[in-house]
Amino acid sequence: MKKNLIKLSLVIALLSIVNVSMAQVNKRQAKQNARVNQGRASGEITAKEAAQIQHKQNEVQAMENAARSDGKVTKAERKAINHEQNEASRQIARKKSNRRNRN
């Protein structure tokens, strides 16, 4: 009985860690979308650039959905998602500072 409770508590702890990490992914995507919206409002990002960034965000979301589809997000999947989010963040920074004509 005691062993079953310990096993159950470990499973619950592991599931909460996965949910927290995926919540962080969603929070990060929301922040990146806010950066894009701010860039569009200020004229730092063109409509075409915003579409390119949105495409990258959709790829990250698809990776997250695929990782969650089997009910378990592995460390490798989390690492790949984090890598893609890092790329998306760099893309946003580059596009906001590339001095393209916004008119």
Side-chain angles (χ1 to χ4, degrees):
M1 177 76 166
K2 203 173 193 179
K3 286 183 180 181
N4 288 338
L5 283 174
I6 292 171
K7 288 178 185 178
L8 180 62
S9 63
L10 286 174
V11 169
I12 290 171
L14 289 174
L15 289 175
S16 67
I17 290 170
V18 169
N19 286 335
V20 168
S21 67
M22 288 297 104
Q24 290 170 342
V25 168
N26 292 335
K27 185 176 180 181
R28 188 170 177 192
Q29 279 187 281
K31 285 184 177 184
Q32 288 178 349
N33 284 332
R35 288 172 56 204
V36 172
N37 292 337
Q38 182 277 328
R40 285 288 295 138
S42 69
E44 292 174 302
I45 296 177
T46 65
K48 183 178 179 181
E49 290 170 335
Q52 292 169 343
I53 293 167
Q54 186 57 49
H55 179 75
K56 185 68 165 177
Q57 293 291 348
N58 291 342
E59 287 178 1
V60 172
Q61 187 62 48
M63 287 180 71
E64 180 186 353
N65 293 342
R68 286 185 178 202
S69 67
D70 63 357
K72 182 180 179 187
V73 181
T74 66
K75 186 176 180 179
E77 289 170 329
R78 282 194 308 271
K79 186 176 178 181
I81 291 168
N82 187 56
H83 176 76
E84 288 299 315
Q85 283 189 315
N86 288 344
E87 281 190 15
S89 183
R90 284 190 294 272
Q91 181 185 36
I92 293 167
R94 280 193 312 269
K95 295 205 182 286
K96 284 181 80 171
S97 62
N98 65 5
R99 297 183 181 196
R100 289 264 163 87
N101 185 3
R102 311 295 186 230
N103 298 326

